[in-house]
Amino acid sequence: MLYVVTGPPAAGKSSWIEAHAKATDVVIDLDRITSALTGPGAPQWSQHPLHLRVAHRARYAAMDEAFQLLDQLDVYLIHTMPSAKHMAKYKRLKARIVVVDPGEAIVMQRIEAMRDTAMRRVAARWYNARRNAPREAMPQTSRAW
């Protein structure tokens, strides 16, 4: 099974995965990948553009490989703001979409305390996209009233 965990920065996506994934599952988390690819002493949530460039390549390679193994293991993928194209792919793969959102005020507090302040823009973009998203249509009635 593929679990796509989405939400703003500092929402608790990694914590949600830690509470649900098993040691035998695959976890694809850009923060963890970036951390693994940077040198000693690098910040835990490195956002350096060159580090991210390398980490994104590694992430996409991991995704491609893991998606081929969904019949053999569970995959947890953190994808903060998946595009429509990615969402279509996840739907084809029968993914379970998990949204982790403790609320904008809490997210902004966590970013202030633990993350690079540039993450405030990413969080604001995430919340704005959700506010501006069209509401899903109401289900149709089963009979004429």
Side-chain angles (χ1 to χ4, degrees):
M1 163 71 67
L2 172 62
Y3 298 87
V4 177
V5 184
T6 185
K13 298 179 296 291
S14 297
S15 297
W16 188 91
I17 289 174
E18 286 178 27
H20 293 86
K22 301 180 303 294
T24 55
D25 296 334
V26 170
V27 175
I28 303 172
D29 176 344
L30 188 62
D31 289 340
R32 288 172 65 178
I33 293 169
T34 305
S35 181
L37 295 173
T38 54
Q44 183 178 0
W45 290 287
S46 175
Q47 297 296 318
H48 189 282
L50 296 178
H51 295 161
L52 285 174
R53 180 178 171 180
V54 174
H56 273 104
R57 293 262 184 147
R59 178 176 175 258
Y60 287 121
M63 289 166 62
D64 288 342
E65 190 64 29
F67 292 168
Q68 295 178 40
L69 303 172
L70 290 173
D71 60 335
Q72 300 172 58
L73 50 77
D74 287 340
V75 175
Y76 290 80
L77 168 65
I78 292 180
H79 199 155
T80 298
M81 290 190 296
S83 66
K85 178 181 170 185
H86 282 110
M87 288 301 286
K89 181 172 187 167
Y90 301 151
K91 185 176 181 179
R92 283 193 307 275
L93 294 170
K94 297 179 173 71
R96 178 175 168 213
I97 307 299
V98 177
V99 178
V100 179
D101 178 17
E104 191 169 1
I106 291 171
V107 164
M108 293 305 184
Q109 270 182 335
R110 289 176 181 174
I111 289 171
E112 195 68 34
M114 302 183 304
R115 300 283 180 101
D116 185 296
T117 55
M119 287 292 100
R120 284 188 292 208
R121 286 192 311 273
V122 177
R125 196 169 73 224
W126 190 88
Y127 282 106
N128 287 335
R130 291 191 56 94
R131 278 191 280 273
N132 297 331
R135 302 281 184 233
E136 291 193 23
M138 291 293 291
Q140 298 299 309
T141 58
S142 59
R143 61 182 174 206
W145 294 95

